[in-house]
Amino acid sequence: MDTDSGTGRARAVLTAGLRALGLALLALCGSLVLLVLTLVSLLLIPAGAGLITTPWVLAGVRAHADRRRLLAARWCGVRIPSAYRAVPAGAKPWTRTFRLLGDPAVRRDVRWLPVDAVAGFGTALVPAALVFCPLEGFALALGLWRVFTDGTYVGWWYGFVPVSGQGSASLAGLLGVALLVAAGFLTPALLRAHFLLTRAVLAPGRGELAERVRVLTQSRRDAVDASAAELRRIERDLHDGAQARLVAVGMDLGTVEALIERDPGKARELLARARRSSAEALGELRDLVRGVHPPVLAERGLGDAVRALALRSPVPTEVAVDIGGGRAAAPVESAAYFAVSEVLTNAVKHSGAGRIRVELRHREGMLRIAVTDDGGGGAVVGAGSGLSGVGRRLGTFDGVLAVSSPAGGPTVVTMEIPCVLS
C-alpha cells in the first residue's frame, strides 16, 4: 500500500513538473510571439493593413488565453471566466477591429501577454526546475564532475555548491535530494500559483458581476434567436417538404376515389404513387425530428448519439467515450450533440481530413469533448464561421471553446461544459 502511494505521488510530481515545463515554454514562446504580432498589427492600423491583420491576431490571442483557461480548470481546478463580447458576423474590417479593441476581455488578454511572458514564465519554470534540476546533482555525484574538473580547481557550480571533486559532488547530490523532496511538497502548489496569477490578470475585476450579467443577457438573446431560427427552419421544411407531399397524397386519393370504378388501372397507378409519396413524407418527418432532437440522443444518451454521427460521416471517424453510465441534463446533451455535429461537418467540408477522432470525457463536474482531424488546419473562430455559433451555443451553459489549428494541421477543437451526470 505504501509503495503504491509513493509511486503515485512520484508520478504526480513528475506530471506536474512536465506540465510546468510545457507552460514555461508556452509562456515564453507563445505569449512573446503573440505580443510582438499584436503590437506590430496595432501599429499598422493607421496604414490600413492593421485593420485586416488585427482581428486575426486577436483571434490567436483569444485562442491562446482560452487554452490557458482550459488547462487551469483541467489541471488545477482554477476556473477563469471567459466573457467576450460578440462581434456581428460580416462586420466590416474597421468595425470588427474596433469592436474587438473595445472589448474589455480582449484588452485583458493583451495585457496578460507580457505578464505571462515574464512572470508566468517564472512561476512555471520554478516548479519545473525543482523536479528536473535534481537529475544534474545526481549525475554530478555519480561521476559527471570529472567532465568539468580534474579535482584541482572549481570547474562547476551546482546551485551554491562549488564542485571540484568527489566530495563536493556528493554534496551536490545531497542538494539534489533536498530539491527533490521540496519538489514533492511545492510543485503542485507552485503550478496552481501560476494559474492563479493568470486568473488575476484574465478574470474580470470589480465589474465582474455587471460583465457576467451582460454575458448572460447576450447568451439568452443568442438562445432566443437560435430557437426562433430553428422554428422558422422547421416551418419551412414542413411547408416545402412533408406538407406538400401529404397534400399531393390527399389529391391522389381523391382522384382514386373518382376513378376506382371507371378506370381501375389508373386508380391503382395513383394509389402506388400515393403510397410512395406517403413513405417519402414519413422519411422527411423522421429527418426533421432527428434535426430537432435525435431519437438516439433521447433514448441512449450522448455517447451513442455521437457514435451514430460518426457512422454517418463520410470521413472515417473514431469515437472514444468515457462518461460512465450517467446522463447530463437534456439541454446540455442537446447542446453538446449539435456542437459535435457542427464541428464534424466543418471538418468534413473544409479540412480535407482523412481521419477524425472524437473524445468525450467527464471529470470533476466538467464534460470535455475534443474533436481532432488530420486535415490542413487553418480553422479560426470568428468571421462568421460555424465555430462562432458553436461557441455561442456552449456559452449558454457557461461552456468554453478552444481551437488549435496551425497551418498544415492537425486541428483540435476542444469544448468544455460544466455539468453533473445523473
Side-chain angles (χ1 to χ4, degrees):
M1 180 67 71
D2 291 341
T3 301
D4 292 341
S5 177
T7 302
R9 183 165 183 79
R11 187 182 296 113
V13 171
L14 179 59
T15 300
L18 290 172
R19 289 172 173 174
L21 183 60
L23 287 171
L25 295 175
L26 194 63
L28 183 62
C29 300
S31 295
L32 196 57
V33 169
L34 285 170
L35 177 61
V36 172
L37 290 176
T38 302
L39 293 176
V40 170
S41 186
L42 292 176
L43 291 174
L44 290 175
I45 288 178
L51 297 176
I52 306 299
T53 59
T54 298
W56 292 91
V57 173
L58 293 180
V61 173
R62 175 175 175 176
H64 183 57
D66 279 343
R67 181 64 180 170
R68 195 64 59 86
R69 291 184 177 96
L70 287 176
L71 294 179
R74 184 181 177 190
W75 290 351
C76 291
V78 177
R79 295 283 297 169
I80 304 176
S82 176
Y84 295 97
R85 295 179 181 177
V87 178
K92 294 181 179 180
W94 177 274
T95 302
R96 185 171 183 80
T97 297
F98 284 95
R99 281 287 187 92
L100 288 170
L101 293 177
D103 187 345
V106 173
R107 293 200 297 268
R108 284 194 297 270
D109 287 352
V110 174
R111 289 196 299 268
W112 167 69
L113 292 176
V115 175
D116 189 52
V118 180
F121 170 73
T123 55
L125 186 62
V126 170
L130 283 176
V131 173
F132 296 108
C133 281
L135 299 178
E136 180 188 352
F138 300 154
L140 289 170
L142 292 174
L144 184 65
W145 64 272
R146 294 185 177 87
V147 176
F148 305 110
T149 179
D150 59 2
T152 61
Y153 67 98
V154 175
W156 191 259
W157 283 80
Y158 178 70
F160 56 83
V161 176
V163 178
S164 58
Q166 184 60 53
S168 54
S170 298
L171 289 177
L174 291 176
L175 179 57
V177 171
L179 290 176
L180 195 59
V181 172
F185 290 98
L186 298 178
T187 297
L190 290 172
L191 188 63
R192 182 177 176 82
H194 169 87
F195 289 122
L196 291 176
L197 171 66
T198 302
R199 185 174 67 180
V201 182
L202 287 182
R206 290 183 299 176
E208 181 175 358
L209 181 59
E211 186 71 8
R212 180 64 179 151
V213 170
R214 188 198 61 76
V215 171
L216 289 175
T217 302
Q218 181 64 43
S219 297
R220 183 182 63 184
R221 186 181 300 118
D222 291 338
V224 171
D225 291 344
S227 297
E230 186 70 9
L231 181 60
R232 289 193 297 271
R233 181 188 70 82
I234 293 171
E235 291 173 344
R236 184 178 62 252
D237 290 349
L238 282 173
H239 182 272
D240 296 341
Q243 179 179 328
R245 293 190 183 279
L246 291 174
V247 169
V249 169
M251 294 175 62
D252 286 342
L253 291 177
T255 306
V256 167
E257 188 177 7
L259 293 177
I260 195 166
E261 293 185 0
R262 288 182 314 171
D263 191 349
K266 183 66 174 178
R268 283 194 296 271
E269 181 182 338
L270 290 175
L271 278 173
R273 188 170 71 181
R275 186 173 64 250
R276 289 194 300 271
S277 295
S278 65
E280 291 172 356
L282 181 59
E284 290 179 356
L285 286 172
R286 285 173 175 167
D287 290 339
L288 186 62
V289 171
R290 187 179 296 114
V292 175
H293 193 75
V296 67
L297 179 62
E299 296 169 4
R300 305 185 61 180
L302 182 60
D304 284 340
V306 172
R307 290 189 182 99
L309 280 177
L311 290 175
R312 295 198 300 268
S313 173
V315 177
T317 302
E318 178 184 356
V319 178
V321 179
D322 183 15
I323 57 177
R327 296 282 300 270
V332 173
E333 283 194 338
S334 181
Y337 172 84
F338 286 108
V340 173
S341 178
E342 180 68 28
V343 173
L344 286 177
T345 300
N346 282 353
V348 170
K349 286 184 177 180
H350 307 299
S351 72
R355 294 197 66 83
I356 302 174
R357 177 176 174 81
V358 183
E359 298 180 22
L360 292 87
R361 286 182 170 78
H362 187 270
R363 294 286 187 277
E364 299 177 353
M366 188 71 63
L367 175 64
R368 183 175 186 271
I369 306 171
V371 181
T372 305
D373 69 67
D374 60 359
V380 295
V381 179
S385 70
L387 292 175
S388 298
V390 173
R392 289 193 297 271
R393 184 188 293 272
L394 298 179
T396 305
F397 301 92
D398 277 349
V400 293
L401 170 74
V403 179
S404 172
S405 184
T411 295
V412 181
V413 178
T414 304
M415 297 164 277
E416 286 199 348
I417 308 175
C419 66
V420 295
L421 302 184
S422 60

